[in-house]
Amino acid sequence: MKNTISARVADFLKNYPPFNEVATKELENLSEQVSIIYKVKGEAIFSVEEEAHPCFYVVHKGAVVLTKEPNDEVVDLCDEGDIFGLRPLIANENYKIGAKAYEETILYAIPINEFKPIIQEYKAVGTFLIESFASNTRNPYSKSYRGKLYEGTTPAESNPLKNSELLDLQGVSYSKKLISCSENTTIKTIATTMTEKRVGSVLIVKDNLPVGIITDKDLRNKIATGLFPITTRAKNVMSSPVITYPKKMTITQAQMAMMKSSISHLCLTMDGTPDSEAVGIISKHDIMFELGNNPAVLLKAIKRANGFKKLKTVRRRIMDLLRGYLEQNLPLTLISKIISELNDACIKQITKIALSRMDAPPPVKFAWLAMGSQGRSEQLLQTDQDNALVFEDVPEEQLTETRTYFLELAKLVTRGLFKIGYEYCPAEMMASNPDWCLSLAEWKDRTFHWITNPGPDEVLLSSIFFDYNLAYGDIGLVNELSAHLFETTEKYPVFFLHLASGALQSPSPSGFFRSFLVEEDGEYKDFFDLKRRALMPLIDGARVLVLSHQVKSINNTAERFEKLAELEPNNEELFLACSYATKALLKFRTKHGLLHNDSGRFIALNKLTKEEKIKLKRSFKTIKDLQELLKIRFKVTNLLG
C-alpha cells in the first residue's frame, strides 16, 4: 500500500530545485526517509557552532530566518520550498550560522546519507547545492528573489502604530534615477544639470564606482561664497570619500547615519561599500517625507481632519504607506493591522464630523459596524462599503423618530466614506439603508430569522453580517448582539450545514492540470476572479468552522485558521496552509490592485509571470482540501459541482 505521507512529500519536493532534477521513483524512495518537523515561532532549528545534524532542511510551510554572530544579523529568510542547513552536506564542520522559525513552520528534514547517492548520480543536483551553499542563498538561479518572503507573520501588537517600532521597520524610499558625472566635470555644468533635473545632489563616479558627491549645500558654501570659481572641476569641490550604505535601510538607520556623519545625503550601493556600483541616493528631504507617511503621524492627521477633503488627502498617503510596506515585503499580518487601524480611524473621524453636522446629538446610544473585508481587517485597498448601524432599544412610539435620526446620520457617514474613496455598496448593504439601520431588538429578531430559516438569501446575509467589528460607538451594544448570535447558533446547529453549503458554492479556481478557470463572458471575460474563486472559499470556510467552535472575537480569516489549528491538532497542517494561502492571496490581490489602480479582483493571466502563476496555483490544492473537509464534517451532499 502506498505511503500517503511520503507521496505528499514527494509531490511537494518535485516542484522545487534541485529535486525537480530527480527521477520520480528515486524521489519517492527518498521521501519515505524524510522526517516532518514542526517549529513554533522563534524556536531554534540549529545555532552557531552547534554540531552538524545528519540532515539538511526544506521549508514546507512557514519561514525560517538565518542569522550570524555577534548580533544575530539576518543573513537570509527562507520561504516555502527553500533549502538551508547545507553545511553538514558540503563541509564536515559545525554550523557557522543559526536558524530559527520566523513564524510557525513545518520543515522536511532530508537525511544526508540517503541523499548522497542522488548527488553522485545527478550532476545538476550537486552543482545547485554547492552554489547555494557558496552564495548563502537557496536558489542561485533566481537571485533577484533572494531574501524575499512571499508571506510572513508577526504576533499581534497591542498598539501596531507605536512610533519607535515602526520607524525601525519602515524603509526609506530612495531615488533610483542617479545623476552622476566625472571628476573633471565643471561646476557650472553640474549646477545646470541639478537645476534641469530638479535634484539636490550629483554623484561623482570613476570607473562606475562612487568617489564623491556634490550637493546644493556645497554650491552654497564653496561656490556662492567665492571660495572656488564656477569653472572649477568637480574633484575640487566634491565631498570625498563617499559615505556608503546598503540599499535596505529603515528610517531610523538613515537618520542615525546622517547624524553620525553630519551629512544630508547617503549614497546607497549594491553591497553597502564604495567598491560596488551605486544604486540610489537618500536625502534629508526623503527622510522627512517618509516621516510624514509614518502611520503614527497619519493617525494624528486623521484625528485633526475637520472635513472630508482633508481626510481624502490622508487616505492617499495611507495608500503610499501601503505601497511602501509591500515593496519592503513586510509581513502581511503587520501590514493589515496597521492599515486596518488607519481605516478604522478614518471611519471614526468621518462619524465624528457627521455628528457635528447633525442638528442634535444622538437620542440614544448607537454603534457603527464595519463589515465585510474591513470587519475582518482585510480591506487594504479602497473597495466598496459594507456597514450597519445598531442603536439602543426605545419604546415603540419613539422608534420611527429614532431611526430617522440615525438614517440621516448614516447618509452623512456613507457619503463621507464615498468622498474619501470608498464606493457605495451595489447591494446597498449600508447603514443608510433602513434594512441595515435597526435597533438592538430588531437586529436580534433579524439575525434569529436568518439563523432559524436559512434559505440562500438568509445564508448570504448572515455570512456577511458575521464578519463585523465596532468602528464607532457603544461596545456594549455590540457585545450583546454578538452574545445573541452565538447563543442562537448553538441552539440551532443545523444552521452550520447551510452555512457550509453556502461556503461551497464558490466556483473552483482550477480545472484539469490545475489550469486557471476564467470568466467566460461579460466585462472580465478571460480574466481570473481572484476574490470569488480563491479568496471567498477560504473566507467562507474559516467563518463556518470557527463559528461551529463558538470562537468569539476573531474575525480575520488567517487568524481564524490559526485558531482552528490550535483547536484541531489533527488538521493543524491543513489549517496553517489555509492561513498562509489567505495571506498570500490577499497580498497578491493588493499588489495587483495598486499596480492597476483597481480592486485587484480580476487578474489578466497573460500579465502574470511564471512565478506568480505558480504561487497562485499553490493555493488551489489547499482550497480543494478545505472544501473536502467541509463536505465531510457538515455532511453537505446537495451541492453544485
Side-chain angles (χ1 to χ4, degrees), residues 276-527:
S276 63
E277 190 175 345
V279 294
I281 293 284
I282 295 178
S283 68
K284 275 189 177 178
H285 174 77
D286 296 326
I287 299 290
M288 295 308 297
F289 180 81
E290 294 295 342
L291 284 171
N293 272 354
N294 178 265
V297 174
L298 291 175
L299 189 61
K300 290 179 183 177
I302 291 168
K303 292 179 178 179
R304 287 197 302 265
N306 55 11
F308 300 147
K309 189 175 289 187
K310 288 185 178 179
L311 273 176
K312 186 174 183 178
T313 302
V314 180
R315 277 293 316 166
R316 292 197 195 102
R317 290 165 62 189
I318 292 172
M319 288 297 99
D320 289 338
L321 181 71
L322 172 61
R323 192 175 286 106
Y325 281 168
L326 290 172
E327 287 174 357
Q328 296 165 55
N329 210 41
L330 289 185
L332 189 73
T333 303
L334 179 61
I335 296 174
S336 295
K337 289 185 181 301
I338 293 171
I339 300 300
S340 293
E341 188 162 336
L342 291 170
N343 288 342
D344 280 343
C346 286
I347 297 171
K348 187 174 292 186
Q349 190 64 16
I350 284 174
T351 308
K352 287 181 178 179
I353 294 170
L355 282 167
S356 71
R357 296 179 181 180
M358 295 290 288
D359 293 333
V364 292
K365 294 177 183 177
F366 76 98
W368 184 276
L369 305 180
M371 299 191 303
S373 56
Q374 179 61 18
R376 296 189 300 271
S377 299
E378 295 166 5
Q379 190 179 50
L380 300 178
L381 299 170
Q382 288 179 272
T383 53
D384 59 299
Q385 302 180 38
D386 289 301
N387 45 61
L389 190 147
V390 53
F391 56 86
E392 199 172 15
D393 292 332
V394 295
E396 184 69 28
E397 63 271 15
Q398 297 175 18
L399 185 57
T400 301
E401 183 182 356
T402 305
R403 193 190 324 280
T404 299
Y405 176 92
F406 285 114
L407 281 172
E408 185 181 345
L409 173 65
K411 286 174 183 175
L412 285 175
V413 175
T414 54
R415 189 184 308 150
L417 289 169
F418 176 78
K419 285 184 176 180
I420 71 167
Y422 293 97
E423 294 294 326
Y424 292 118
C425 175
E428 293 192 27
M429 293 178 182
M430 300 180 294
S432 52
N433 179 346
D435 288 337
W436 293 85
C437 181
L438 304 175
S439 69
L440 179 60
E442 288 175 320
W443 272 123
K444 287 182 178 180
D445 290 342
R446 181 71 55 86
T447 53
F448 181 83
H449 172 76
W450 289 343
I451 294 168
T452 56
N453 298 275
D457 291 340
E458 287 78 11
V459 168
L460 174 63
L461 293 168
S462 61
S463 64
I464 293 169
F465 194 83
F466 273 120
D467 297 339
Y468 65 74
N469 67 27
L470 175 66
Y472 184 93
D474 185 73
I475 187 65
L477 292 170
V478 178
N479 290 340
E480 191 172 342
L481 180 57
S482 297
H484 164 77
L485 289 171
F486 281 99
E487 287 170 9
T488 309
T489 55
E490 194 170 14
K491 290 177 183 176
Y492 296 90
V494 70
F495 170 71
F496 296 122
L497 186 150
H498 295 279
L499 200 60
S501 178
L504 289 160
Q505 301 307 305
S506 298
S508 172
S510 62
F512 292 110
F513 301 109
R514 294 205 307 162
S515 61
F516 289 86
L517 289 181
V518 297
E519 302 307 289
E520 296 180 355
D521 50 36
E523 180 184 357
Y524 294 101
K525 186 177 184 296
D526 296 328
F527 280 68

Side-chain angles (χ1 to χ4, degrees), residues 547-565:
L547 289 176
S548 69
H549 278 285
Q550 293 287 301
V551 173
K552 303 176 177 65
S553 303
I554 300 180
N555 291 349
N556 180 267
T557 302
E559 291 178 8
R560 280 173 166 172
F561 279 124
E562 287 158 15
K563 183 63 177 179
L564 288 165

Side-chain angles (χ1 to χ4, degrees), residues 9-22 27 30 56-59 79-84 86 89 108 110 115 118-119 122-133 137-143 145 610-611 614 618:
V9 172
D11 284 343
F12 175 84
L13 292 177
K14 70 183 180 183
N15 293 314
Y16 300 96
F19 305 102
N20 56 347
E21 300 284 348
V22 181
L27 189 58
L30 174 68
F56 63 95
Y57 300 94
V58 178
V59 180
D79 196 10
E80 183 176 305
D82 292 338
I83 295 172
F84 68 97
L86 288 168
L89 181 65
Y108 288 159
I110 314 292
F115 194 73
I118 292 176
I119 296 177
Y122 297 92
K123 184 179 179 181
V125 172
T127 301
F128 178 93
L129 294 175
I130 290 170
E131 291 191 21
S132 293
F133 176 72
T137 182
R138 291 88 54 207
N139 186 350
Y141 310 125
S142 181
K143 291 182 181 177
Y145 295 101
K610 181 179 179 181
E611 183 178 12
I614 290 172
R618 283 179 194 162

Side-chain angles (χ1 to χ4, degrees), residues 4 50 163 167 173 183 282 342 507 550 552 567 613:
T4 55
E50 182 177 328
N163 230 330
L167 290 176
S173 298
E183 294 174 291
I282 295 178
L342 291 170
Q550 293 287 301
K552 303 176 177 65
L567 296 171
K613 289 180 180 178

Side-chain angles (χ1 to χ4, degrees), residues 58-59 74 120 186 423-424 446 489 539 570 575 578 602 608 612:
V58 178
V59 180
V74 174
Q120 294 167 0
T186 66
E423 294 294 326
Y424 292 118
R446 181 71 55 86
T489 55
I539 292 167
N570 56 318
F575 291 143
C578 288
F602 293 97
L608 299 184
E612 286 175 324

